[in-house]
Every structure is written in structure tokens, then in C-alpha cells.
Amino acid sequence: MNHEPTRPDPDALLQANRDSHRGRLKIYFGACAGVGKTYAMLQEAQRLRAQGLDVLIGVVETHDRPETAQLLTGLTLLPRRATGRSRHAEFDLDAALARHPAVILMDELAHTNVQGSRHPKRWQDIEELLEAGIDVLTTVNVQHLESLNDVVGGVTGIQVRETVPDPFFDSADEVVLVDLPPDDLRQRLKEGKVYIGDRAERAIENFFRKGNLFALRELALRRTADRVDDQMRAWRDQQGRDRVWHTRDAILLCIGDDTGSEKLVRTAARLAARLGSEWHAVYVETPRLNRLPEARRRAILRTLQLAQELGAETATLSDPDEAEAVLRYAREHNLGKIVTGRRPQRRWRRDSFAERLGQLGPDLDLLVVALDEPLHDAPHPLADGRVTSDKWRIQLRGVMMALVLCIAVTVAGQSLLIGFDPANCVMIYLLAVVIVALRYGRWPSVIATVMNILAFDLFFVAPTGTVAVSDLQYLVTFGVMLAVGVIVGNLTAGCVIRRGWHATVSSGRASCMRWRNHSAVR
């Protein structure tokens, strides 16, 4: 046996080595200009300088704000690079790389460099600084994220030209949200702490309208919350997925293959909209259920499509155990609320889908929705109209089976049970009724009972060959036999339906039956 330890993946080692030499990126993120991103970045720079780190200012825009400019005291400023094609000086990337500070400040992440620069965008300059092992502090507003550019344009009516790719933003080691209420921000504008002179008045009347500030603030908060949620999920994946962390409301809907699932879908959609949460809808296809008729499968697909149209993320799972499949999916996607259905149940029914979910997943919240449609009164419609024809075909086969069993019991009683008390034949006849009820339902069992009474009277009760009865006690036997046969047949067939067992006959095989267990709650 080879006891040599497993060699590590060279690609993984190379990636880890590359990441260890890469600089750290910290982004100060805000809803719009004036919330204090640059101020917060300079405060962090002063803190790092006090710890003895080499901090260099690559680009900082104070916009003539005195309190921001004061924070530049003691920090080293990198001279700008003069360009012949523009009157504005630009960031000197080569000088920063040669200087190689521990930390460099790069304000306005979405800035577009002047033509002739090495990179067209400032975030590309920052990428090269990070690859060189330099830590970078930078700032950006929510309207500059590429994925939200059209959303911001639709809200504010202003199209932002300078954007930052979302993957670069998401690759940051740390994102600090700098937030300020809209009223406070507008007050800062009026006091000239954001823009000076007429520019501040124009900003208040246009981009900095209160409604715009509310929308931008919500976008910034949500984008930050999504990033934190991704970090939480990544950390949770490292720790294992044994339990669901209820950090946000998320719903998992269990769709069954019976009627009433449409009500479940709409209920889950309303609940998700009220909670403002994401929701998923799943259907578990077990080996027993994957043989459903094509029309039933199409009905399930229509239900899943309805859930998708209402905003759900849908999935079809394949697993022999429905409850375990649902719990595994809920834990993988950190879904803390499971919505399932419940039908009216008898007292003796104990094991249900919801109860099993509760036993296997005590850390999950179960929301059970009552379903009004009874399962056996609402068959799934088939596109070719075969529901009625199949039903009558099964009933007819049941009657034929009842006739065959009646003849078999009668022949056996006359040839094999000679000398036995006729009451033994009565028990065999009742057994035949139970068999018919189990396989074909209620009405064939009732017909079987009537057939058996007539056969018993004709062949075992004197005078034989007629329906006349010489001994009146047999009238009581006939009555009890009829009552017991009808009751046993109804109870046997009724229990099958109430437990959700449906029998279907395979095409081309007259006596081949398949039982499907449809959970009453899903």
C-alpha cells in the first residue's frame, strides 16, 4: 500500500502564492457625492500612518472642502504626471510603482484617464498596483457600478458615463459603506460643504432631489447587503451546511403532484413579496413518482412555470426521499422558511410530509397552507380526455374480476369444501370482495358482494338452483353478508383514497397495477 501523502494541487499552490503577494483593496462606497467617502478614507490613512506604515496619496479630490483638506496634513503626496494632450495632470503610475508604498490612496475609482495613459480607466491602474503588492484605498458611488447604471439612469434621468465593472468591485477585500441621510446631505449642500456657489443650487434642484437620494441610498444599502450575504454564505460553506442561518427571510416552496399546488404557489409568492425576500420552488421526483402519466408531468411543469413567472427560482430534484431532498436543498441555499400544503386528515393518520420535515429539520420554520381541493374529487385533466374512459375501463375490469372470483369460489366450494359448513364459503366470498375493493375500488366491490350473495344462495342454500330459501335464518345471513361486504369494500377502497394511493392499469396489461403514494402535504 502506498503511504505517500497526497501531493497538493500545483495550481492551487500557485494561486495561493499569487494571492499572498497581491495587495489588499479597500473601497469606501456611498450613495452619491458628499456623503463623506473621501473624508473617511483620509481618516483611515491617518490611522495607518500613525501605526508607522508608509502611506502615499496617489489621487485625492478634496473639492475645496476645508475639513477634508486638513486630513492631508502629514501625508506624502505623489506628484501628478503632466500630459501634453491635456491641461489636467494625471496620476503617475510608474512613479507609484517605483516608490512602492505600503498603502496608496486612489480617489474616484470610476475616473477615466486622459488619452495616452497606459490604461483607459483608473480601476485598471489600481489593478496593476494590487498586482505589485501595494494596498489601495479608493472611493466610488453606487451610480458608477456597471450593473446599476441603467437603474440609476431611470431613477435620476441622468446617464452616468464612467462605470466600474462589478467583478472588480466584488473582488475588493473590504467594502465600507459610508452613509448619510438625505436631509443631512441636502443640508450640507446648502451650506456649501459639497459644492460651492451656483453649482450647489443646481445640484439640489436636479440630481440631489430628495426622491433621487432615497433611491440611491436604497441601492447602495442593498448592494452592500448582497455583498455581505455572499461573504456570509462563503464562510458558512467553509464551516459546513448542517444548519440554516436565519440571517434573512428566504422561502422554499414544496410543489406536489396533486391538485392545490397552484394555491401554494400564489400563497408563497404573496408571502415573499410581503417579506421582500427571495423564494425557491422545488418538486421532488422519486423513483415511484417518475412513472407519472405524461399529462400529470405536464401539469407539474405548468405549476413550476407559474412559480417562475411569479419570481421564484425553480428546480426539479431527483431523490428517493422527498423530505431529505427538500432539507438538503434548503440548507445548500440557506432557505429558512419552508412552505408546504396540508389536506384534511383523519385522526389515525400520523406520518405526514410536514411532520417528517419538522423531525429532520428542527432548525427550519414550516408554514403549512390548507388545501381546499380534495385529492380524490379533483383528478388531473388529461389533454386527450382519457380520465373518464380510463376510469370506466378500470371499473369494467373490476366487475369482470369480481365475476371470475365469484365463479372460482363457487367451483372451489362445491368441489373442495364438500362437507364443510356453508359459513366457510361465506368467509371466502367476503375475502373475494376485499380483493376486488383493494384492486379496483368501491363500486366493483359492491357488485362483487351482490354476485357472491346470489351464487351462495343458488349453489349452497337449499333448495339449490333457485333463489328461494327454505330456512329463514339464511335471510339474516344474506343481510349480514351484504352489509359486511359493502362496508368492508367501502372501507378498503376509501382508506386507499384517503391515504393518497391511486391505482392505474398499464396499457396492454389488464391486471398490472401500480400504486402511487401522493403525500397529502407538500
Side-chain angles (χ1 to χ4, degrees):
M1 181 179 294
N2 185 13
H3 296 281
E4 182 181 354
T6 304
R7 296 181 60 186
D9 185 2
D11 294 335
L13 288 176
L14 182 62
Q15 182 63 35
N17 184 66
R18 183 184 299 113
D19 292 342
S20 64
H21 291 85
R22 179 180 171 87
R24 293 179 56 83
L25 175 62
K26 186 172 185 178
I27 299 177
Y28 289 85
F29 184 52
C32 59
V35 296
K37 301 182 301 298
T38 304
Y39 189 88
M41 181 179 66
L42 287 172
Q43 284 184 320
E44 175 67 8
Q46 291 288 358
R47 186 183 70 83
L48 295 176
R49 187 180 71 88
Q51 293 179 356
L53 294 180
D54 181 15
V55 180
L56 178 67
I57 296 180
V59 178
V60 168
E61 302 293 346
T62 63
H63 297 287
D64 297 326
R65 300 166 190 163
E67 64 276 11
T68 304
Q70 289 178 0
L71 290 175
L72 296 174
T73 304
L75 296 175
T76 304
L77 179 63
L78 180 70
R80 300 285 185 95
R81 174 178 57 86
T83 58
R85 299 182 182 182
S86 174
R87 60 186 180 89
H88 297 289
E90 193 57 88
F91 170 68
D92 194 342
L93 178 58
D94 291 326
L97 292 173
R99 174 76 161 69
H100 204 282
V103 181
I104 187 170
L105 277 62
M106 297 289 292
D107 208 357
E108 298 183 356
L109 175 63
H111 173 76
T112 300
N113 295 331
V114 298
Q115 190 175 3
S117 300
R118 184 185 309 176
H119 302 295
K121 292 288 188 177
R122 180 166 293 168
W123 66 266
Q124 295 171 317
D125 293 339
I126 293 177
E127 178 66 27
E128 188 168 345
L129 292 171
L130 294 172
E131 291 294 336
I134 301 174
D135 294 346
V136 178
L137 306 182
T138 186
T139 64
V140 71
N141 293 325
V142 69
Q143 65 263 30
H144 294 295
L145 293 183
E146 181 65 41
S147 63
L148 299 176
N149 184 260
D150 57 338
V151 177
V152 174
V155 171
T156 63
I158 299 175
Q159 190 68 32
V160 179
R161 302 293 182 184
E162 296 181 325
T163 59
V164 176
D166 285 65
F168 183 81
F169 177 85
D170 294 330
S171 68
D173 298 277
E174 188 176 355
V175 174
V176 178
L177 177 66
V178 182
D179 186 42
L180 194 65
D183 289 335
D184 294 349
L185 180 56
R186 286 168 60 88
Q187 183 62 34
R188 292 195 65 196
L189 276 166
K190 294 177 181 178
E191 295 174 354
K193 295 181 178 180
V194 180
Y195 299 125
I196 299 175
D198 296 339
R199 189 181 178 188
E201 294 295 331
R202 291 195 303 269
I204 293 176
E205 295 176 359
N206 295 286
F207 189 83
F208 284 80
R209 291 195 300 267
K210 197 169 184 178
N212 291 352
L213 297 180
F214 278 128
L216 293 172
R217 189 187 190 197
E218 180 180 3
L219 288 174
L221 291 171
R222 287 187 179 276
R223 190 62 174 82
T224 306
D226 290 340
R227 174 183 168 82
V228 173
D229 184 67
D230 291 340
Q231 292 175 329
M232 182 274 297
R233 289 175 183 269
W235 175 261
R236 178 176 168 271
D237 292 342
Q238 295 176 1
Q239 304 300 314
R241 297 175 174 178
D242 294 337
R243 297 183 65 85
V244 172
W245 293 4
H246 296 263
T247 54
R248 63 189 303 178
D249 291 321
I251 297 172
L252 174 60
L253 170 65
C254 303
I255 294 179
D257 64 328
D258 52 3
T259 58
S261 295
E262 294 82 2
K263 177 182 178 181
L264 277 177
V265 170
R266 295 185 175 92
T267 301
R270 290 194 299 269
L271 180 61
R274 187 169 301 175
L275 296 176
S277 64
E278 64 173 309
W279 65 294
H280 296 230
V282 298
Y283 168 73
V284 183
E285 191 174 66
T286 64
R288 184 180 60 254
L289 298 180
N290 62 12
R291 297 185 295 270
L292 287 173
E294 182 63 26
R296 295 281 291 276
R297 299 176 69 86
R298 287 197 298 268
I300 295 169
L301 291 177
R302 287 195 298 269
T303 305
L304 286 172
Q305 184 178 3
L306 174 62
Q308 190 173 15
E309 292 173 353
L310 295 177
E313 181 177 337
T314 60
T316 300
L317 311 178
S318 180
D319 196 279
D321 192 305
E322 295 170 283
E324 290 184 357
V326 168
L327 289 175
R328 183 167 57 251
Y329 186 91
R331 291 193 170 105
E332 287 177 356
H333 295 81
N334 200 42
L335 307 173
K337 299 183 185 300
I338 298 181
V339 178
T340 183
R342 173 184 58 81
R343 295 189 179 280
Q345 301 177 6
R346 298 291 184 180
R347 292 181 179 178
W348 56 79
R349 179 163 185 171
R350 298 179 181 178
D351 186 20
S352 70
F353 182 71
E355 290 174 352
R356 192 151 187 269
L357 281 178
Q359 294 172 357
L360 296 178
D363 55 320
L364 302 177
D365 298 332
L366 296 180
L367 288 80
V368 182
V369 179
L371 300 180
D372 301 329
E373 302 90 346
L375 183 63
H376 56 280
D377 290 340
H380 290 270
L382 299 180
D384 54 4
R386 291 178 295 172
V387 170
T388 303
S389 61
D390 286 349
K391 177 181 177 181
W392 284 108
R393 189 179 298 113
I394 293 174
Q395 299 270 349
L396 180 59
R397 289 174 180 171
V399 173
M400 297 300 295
M401 178 59 72
L403 179 60
V404 170
L405 289 177
C406 179
I407 295 174
V409 172
T410 302
V411 172
Q414 288 191 323
S415 60
L416 301 177
L417 300 179
I418 298 175
F420 281 77
D421 191 277
N424 294 317
C425 291
V426 172
M427 302 304 297
I428 300 177
Y429 279 125
L430 291 178
L431 177 61
V433 171
V434 173
I435 293 174
V436 172
L438 279 172
R439 296 176 65 86
Y440 297 101
R442 181 178 292 106
W443 290 111
S445 69
V446 173
I447 295 175
T449 302
V450 176
M451 287 182 181
N452 292 342
I453 291 175
L454 291 176
F456 181 70
D457 187 15
L458 288 172
F459 296 99
F460 296 97
V461 177
T464 59
T466 67
V467 294
V469 178
S470 60
D471 192 346
L472 295 180
Q473 66 178 349
Y474 280 109
L475 294 179
V476 178
T477 302
F478 294 159
V480 173
M481 187 176 176
L482 177 62
V484 171
V486 172
I487 293 173
V488 169
N490 277 275
L491 285 177
T492 304
C495 286
V496 171
I497 293 176
R498 279 193 297 272
R499 290 176 182 271
W501 293 80
H502 284 215
T504 60
V505 182
S506 301
S507 59
R509 296 183 181 181
S511 301
C512 179
M513 307 298 296
R514 291 200 310 264
W515 300 96
R516 297 190 187 92
N517 184 6
H518 302 308
S519 296
V521 289
R522 204 109 14 111

